[in-house]
Amino acid sequence: VQLQASGGGSVQAGGSLRLSCAPPGRTFSSYALGWFRQAPGKEREFVASIDFRGDTTYYADSVKGRFTISRDIAKNTAYLQMNTLKPEDTAVYYCVAAPKGGSLRAGMGVWGKGTQVTVSS
């Protein structure tokens, strides 16, 4: 099953992008969804997650106050609104699905292909 992530691109510092993660059909509709990212030469790091109801969210400290994760239950799609982007946000962003939010934040789950986000200063 392919998790389809989209919305990456290149922006200047201070700009915004919105990533989408759309599992096919109703696949993973009862799963938590979220994002990890990996910058060149660095390990993958957790960014944000949201539970299957869209009630509970978690964020990495580095993105709190700038990124917002949300979920459209009807469309079975999760979004990551990224505002006030910084050059250090440059990375490949991966959508992840897992039965539990805790598993997702530990990096255990189904991973989609990444989408590149590049922020220039």
Side-chain angles (χ1 to χ4, degrees):
V1 176
Q2 187 68 50
L3 283 171
Q4 184 63 51
S6 61
S10 298
V11 295
Q12 290 189 328
S16 299
L17 284 172
R18 188 177 79 159
L19 305 183
S20 300
C21 177
R26 300 305 300 173
T27 312
F28 303 128
S29 60
S30 62
Y31 278 40
L33 295 176
W35 272 269
F36 276 70
R37 67 185 181 185
Q38 187 168 22
K42 295 187 177 180
E43 294 186 354
R44 286 181 181 178
E45 64 170 344
F46 168 76
V47 176
S49 67
I50 188 166
D51 73 338
F52 75 96
R53 289 185 296 266
D55 292 339
T56 304
T57 58
Y58 289 89
Y59 297 93
D61 288 343
S62 57
V63 306
K64 281 181 182 176
R66 300 187 298 121
F67 291 11
T68 302
I69 190 169
S70 60
R71 188 164 189 163
D72 186 325
I73 304 299
K75 294 181 179 179
N76 193 29
T77 299
Y79 303 97
L80 184 69
Q81 178 66 44
M82 305 185 294
N83 297 329
T84 319
L85 282 161
K86 304 175 180 180
E88 50 263 43
D89 293 318
T90 295
V92 177
Y93 284 69
Y94 298 89
C95 179
V96 183
K100 301 281 187 181
S103 299
L104 189 152
R105 292 188 293 279
M108 295 181 288
V110 179
W111 287 68
K113 292 183 179 180
T115 185
Q116 177 70 46
V117 171
T118 302
V119 185
S120 58
S121 58

